[in-house]
Amino acid sequence: MLTPTEQLNNQFFDYIIAGGGTAGLTLAARLTEDPSVNVLVLEAGQANIDDPQLLRPGIYGSHFGNASFTWDHKTIKQKHVNDRESGWSRGKGLGGSSGINFLCYTKPPARDIDDFERLGNPGWNWKNLEQYFNRAEGFVEPTEEYKKRTGVKTETWNVGREGPLKVSFPVSISEAEMRIQQAFANQGIPAAKQPIGGDPKGICFLPNTYDPKTHVRSYSTNAYYLPNKDRPNFKVAVGAHVNRVLTENTRDGSWSAVGVEFTDVASGKTQTVNAKKEVILSAGALKTPQLLELSGFGRIDVLDKIDVPVKVELSGVGENVQDHIFLGLSWELKEDAPFDTLDLLRDPAIAAKHLELHAQGSGLHTIGIVGFSWNSFDMFAPPGKQAEVYQKMEDALGKIDDTAHPGLRKSFEIAMQRFEPGKPGSPGCEFISFPGFLSGPNPPEAGKRYATILVAMNHGFSRGTVHATSSDPLKDPEMDAHYFEQDFDLDIHVEMVKFARKVANTSPMKEMLVAELNPGLEVQTDAQWAEWLKQTFSTTWHTAGSAAMLPRAQNGVVDASLKVYGTSNLRVVDLSVVPLHFASHPQATVYAIAEKAADIIKAAA
Ligand SMILES: Cc1cc2nc3c(=O)[nH]c(=O)nc-3n(C[C@H](O)[C@H](O)[C@H](O)COP(=O)(O)OP(=O)(O)OC[C@H]3O[C@@H](n4cnc5c(N)ncnc54)[C@H](O)[C@@H]3O)c2cc1C
């Protein structure tokens, strides 16, 4: 049951969680397993329960621009990409970004998670975190017939089967995706050994956060909140925008979080609620740093500018921001290609038919994005290019001013090991097969169908910032991705898109294609590829690292128990805490972080 905000003023709760998104609801559900503990979740957006706009798969990006479902944030102009701004939409409302994401369920390579520990966070390694991934997962095994038809192999998978989050393969995998996968195989890319068990390198089909019984999205709302909503100790209020954490100075000099101030969005009225044990920030990587700054935790110059008294100087707040980006290469399909693609949904009459089909558990809303090739740079880039890019990384490392950016050198050194020539790299160069059109700048033509390879680099070195520029909590912080500030991030992408074109010229993909629509064959030289890339890439909405878990001397914001430095009981539990970004779409890792956080918090109580 949702709790009306007017019932909350001056009430007391053991734990208050700011943000009812992916991490926030997961954490709340686990903490309220103990009936003696009461938890309040404050979510700025609405509940949107049972809304088909969230539940229906296959309508990627359709929530953007709709304030009922998204925060349509934007970066400032990006100076290394011709002053383009990047739309950084995020889920708003219960479920947060898990309610509007593209449903891909992927997990990072073990070594990328082990890097968290190597950066100074004891206990944050794959072996430990894997149990928390598995705790969230309710993987539904595909049938033997499905496996035979699609080539999906799951027998050896290490994946949880009892967790609340439904993870399964969509009803069918389009033949376009199967052919693209086979073309990668014919380019020498091996099958992944443990696609969601720590070793995803290679090609694989991966599941979605998809309920195979009801054919709807599985997300934190229907996985963690709805099954537990009647617990008397689990209170959730929506339309409650948290403005700041209320703190008191303790005898030992640290700060204690005693509650939060929030605004009831409907009435504009400001209220406070009190925390007996802890306050936890789960507002996502774009809003959590803003909340910290508005509460007095952050860089002195940032806080001075917005007139917020400094409680704890933490120069890492809003720094270390890392994003993933993607772009698509699209090809027109031959007229007789014997399969449907998502392009058909552009025709309103056909779209209406597929809505009906969805209700019966078939049609285009029951397919998903499932075909991946996770490559390390050495798997496709010429050795000379690998050496050139690595040299540029070394040059960048040499220029790091450790006084201005404590910890950055160590972070770069570990990130560089993922690219070291002659050693097996980490598979951060991701290729996704997409059954339809998703690219630029040329638009799709009515009545035509397309196949797309999405190219996404997961191990960028450029670091951005997210900082409050006003003491008004309702005003967006300033977001600056610093895209391609390290020019070798661009070089790596250029090699990736060239490889994608090579794959398209390989059987059995090439036989289904008429012509390349984007970028088009006029793009040939590295400089032309780079220019097209800068014009058409998009964020993958995976921004992380803005309240990083790192030692304090290395610009850390939270320690390995996710507690904000200088406080006794304020934690961050969301994608902000990731110290170094990993090769995976992040939702699985966010669920795992929240599951682990619940154990940490329970143990500390
Ligand atoms: C369009 C899109 C597509 C994506 N596709 C995929 C995918 O296919 N696979 C994948 O693995 N990942 C995907 N992701 C990423 C993944 O969904 C997110 O990284 C993850 O859900 C983030 O979880 P979080 O808990 O950190 O933040 P969120 O889930 O975003 O939760 C933050 C919550 O806090 C609320 N909030 C913010 N500020 C306040 C405030 N001041 N007061 C109260 N509440 C507040 C927000 O409304 C939101 O509900 C995608 C993301 C997007 C946006």
Side-chain angles (χ1 to χ4, degrees):
M1 280 281 279
L2 294 167
T3 303
T5 47
E6 54 275 14
Q7 288 178 13
L8 295 174
N9 203 20
N10 293 325
Q11 295 300 304
F12 283 82
F13 295 87
D14 292 314
Y15 299 97
I16 299 175
I17 301 177
T22 317
L25 290 183
T26 303
L27 178 62
R30 290 303 183 196
L31 292 178
T32 53
E33 284 169 345
D34 177 350
S36 72
V37 156
N38 64 31
V39 176
L40 171 68
V41 177
L42 294 170
E43 165 56 42
Q46 296 304 314
N48 302 327
I49 308 278
D50 289 336
D51 194 316
Q53 280 298 108
L54 297 187
L55 294 180
R56 185 179 301 130
I59 47 174
Y60 309 113
S62 62
H63 314 97
F64 300 162
N66 183 338
S68 304
F69 305 119
T70 55
W71 305 94
D72 281 307
H73 308 301
K74 259 200 173 92
T75 66
I76 59 169
K77 287 182 178 165
Q78 296 296 290
K79 74 171 174 198
H80 304 285
V81 289
N82 309 334
D83 275 350
R84 276 184 62 201
E85 293 172 340
S86 180
W88 275 11
S89 297
R90 287 298 181 279
K92 178 181 177 188
L94 284 191
S97 298
S98 72
I100 65 156
N101 73 20
F102 291 6
L103 290 86
C104 303
Y105 192 78
T106 73
K107 280 153 74 176
R111 64 182 277 177
D112 286 13
I113 296 298
D114 289 344
D115 286 343
F116 289 14
E117 188 160 57
R118 296 169 69 219
L119 283 159
N121 299 301
W124 286 86
N125 53 53
W126 174 262
K127 196 163 178 286
N128 179 278
L129 202 63
E130 192 171 27
Q131 64 187 302
Y132 295 108
F133 281 109
N134 292 353
R135 194 180 282 180
E137 293 162 345
F139 179 65
V140 183
E141 189 77 32
T143 62
E144 287 311 312
E145 187 278 321
Y146 185 94
K147 290 188 202 170
K148 218 164 135 191
R149 181 160 39 90
T150 56
V152 165
K153 292 192 180 70
T154 58
E155 294 74 16
T156 57
W157 280 20
N158 189 355
V159 57
R161 288 159 204 262
E162 306 295 329
L165 185 71
K166 296 278 179 278
V167 177
S168 76
F169 280 93
V171 170
S172 56
I173 298 180
S174 109
E175 172 143 357
E177 291 174 278
M178 291 194 215
R179 290 201 195 184
I180 298 174
Q181 290 293 89
Q182 191 53 48
F184 273 99
N186 292 345
Q187 274 294 334
I189 308 300
K193 292 196 185 97
Q194 264 293 356
I196 51 173
D199 191 2
K201 189 186 276 194
I203 42 178
C204 50
F205 285 119
L206 291 172
N208 283 187
T209 40
Y210 179 89
D211 185 332
K213 280 209 180 102
T214 52
H215 303 290
V216 303
R217 173 195 298 274
S218 183
Y219 69 124
S220 65
T221 303
N222 54 13
Y224 283 93
Y225 170 60
L226 291 178
N228 304 309
K229 70 178 184 356
D230 296 327
R231 286 178 184 164
N233 58 338
F234 190 168
K235 303 278 188 225
V236 173
V238 296
H241 189 283
V242 177
N243 300 335
R244 57 185 57 84
V245 182
L246 306 170
T247 49
E248 280 175 2
N249 209 200
T250 63
R251 271 201 216 129
D252 69 1
S254 71
W255 290 87
S256 166
V258 294
V260 304
E261 177 201 288
F262 72 94
T263 296
D264 172 62
V265 176
S267 66
K269 221 171 120 195
T270 296
Q271 303 181 25
T272 58
V273 266
N274 306 301
K276 288 191 274 184
K277 291 195 162 111
E278 298 198 6
V279 172
I280 298 126
L281 303 183
S282 296
L286 306 182
K287 292 296 203 74
T288 284
Q290 180 191 25
L291 276 173
L292 284 167
E293 288 171 347
L294 294 175
S295 311
F297 304 96
R299 259 174 48 182
I300 291 184
D301 59 326
V302 171
L303 270 54
D304 278 353
K305 262 194 225 148
I306 59 173
D307 238 0
V308 170
V310 180
K311 287 177 179 160
V312 180
E313 180 189 357
L314 282 177
S315 10
V317 174
E319 301 284 309
N320 191 48
V321 169
Q322 298 157 63
D323 200 21
H324 293 162
I325 63 170
F326 82 97
L327 75 170
L329 291 85
S330 292
W331 293 266
E332 184 188 330
L333 289 175
K334 285 185 178 157
E335 263 183 31
D336 61 356
F339 42 82
D340 288 347
T341 66
L342 291 166
D343 301 297
L344 297 177
L345 297 178
R346 281 195 296 276
D347 177 329
I350 301 180
K353 188 183 102 194
H354 280 277
L355 280 188
E356 283 171 26
L357 288 173
H358 182 220
Q360 299 153 27
S362 65
L364 286 170
H365 294 296
T366 62
I367 68 171
I369 302 173
V370 294
F372 293 84
S373 180
W374 296 96
N375 297 9
S376 50
F377 195 44
D378 56 286
M379 286 165 79
F380 61 92
K385 188 50 88 171
Q386 291 174 46
E388 183 191 319
V389 163
Y390 195 74
Q391 184 57 52
K392 284 192 180 183
M393 290 173 180
E394 292 213 306
D395 295 347
L397 181 71
K399 285 192 202 131
I400 291 174
D401 173 355
D402 229 19
T403 316
H405 302 283
L408 190 58
R409 182 184 299 277
K410 186 166 181 194
S411 183
F412 261 49
E413 279 166 357
I414 288 181
M416 281 169 63
Q417 289 166 12
R418 300 166 170 182
F419 289 87
E420 209 170 326
K423 301 232 172 105
S426 180
C429 300
E430 176 191 7
F431 300 86
I432 312 172
S433 41
F434 185 80
F437 175 88
L438 189 51
S439 60
N442 301 306
E445 276 182 53
K448 291 196 168 161
R449 290 169 302 151
Y450 300 88
T452 297
I453 296 180
L454 301 173
V455 169
M457 218 278 271
N458 288 236
H459 285 150
F461 281 66
S462 305
R463 302 291 169 98
T465 54
V466 173
H467 287 299
T469 55
S470 159
S471 58
D472 177 359
L474 297 176
K475 187 164 182 282
D476 266 1
E478 183 181 277
M479 303 171 192
D480 186 354
H482 290 232
Y483 285 129
F484 300 136
E485 186 167 81
Q486 301 294 352
D487 61 352
F488 48 87
D489 283 349
L490 184 60
D491 295 343
I492 296 167
H493 276 95
V494 167
E495 292 309 308
M496 289 178 73
V497 290
K498 287 184 344 196
F499 183 58
R501 181 180 277 170
K502 206 166 162 186
V503 170
N505 283 324
T506 307
S507 287
M509 185 172 174
K510 69 173 179 192
E511 287 81 4
M512 67 181 182
L513 308 178
V514 178
E516 182 179 295
L517 177 66
N518 283 316
L521 293 182
E522 59 281 11
V523 171
Q524 291 292 339
T525 65
D526 283 9
Q528 288 169 328
W529 279 111
E531 202 43 44
W532 167 71
L533 249 151
K534 288 191 214 168
Q535 269 169 27
T536 61
F537 84 89
S538 155
T539 174
T540 320
W541 309 279
H542 293 175
T543 321
S546 51
M549 172 174 61
L550 283 168
R552 190 168 179 176
Q554 290 171 27
N555 252 359
V557 176
V558 299
D559 64 17
S561 72
L562 305 176
K563 204 184 279 176
V564 176
Y565 288 111
T567 76
S568 57
N569 62 346
L570 175 62
R571 291 186 216 253
V572 175
V573 179
D574 60 25
L575 198 57
S576 323
V577 302
V578 166
L580 181 61
H581 219 330
F582 45 77
S584 176
H585 298 240
Q587 65 169 333
T589 308
V590 173
Y591 285 113
I593 289 171
E595 289 276 8
K596 181 171 162 96
D599 271 10
I600 293 173
I601 293 169
K602 283 175 180 177

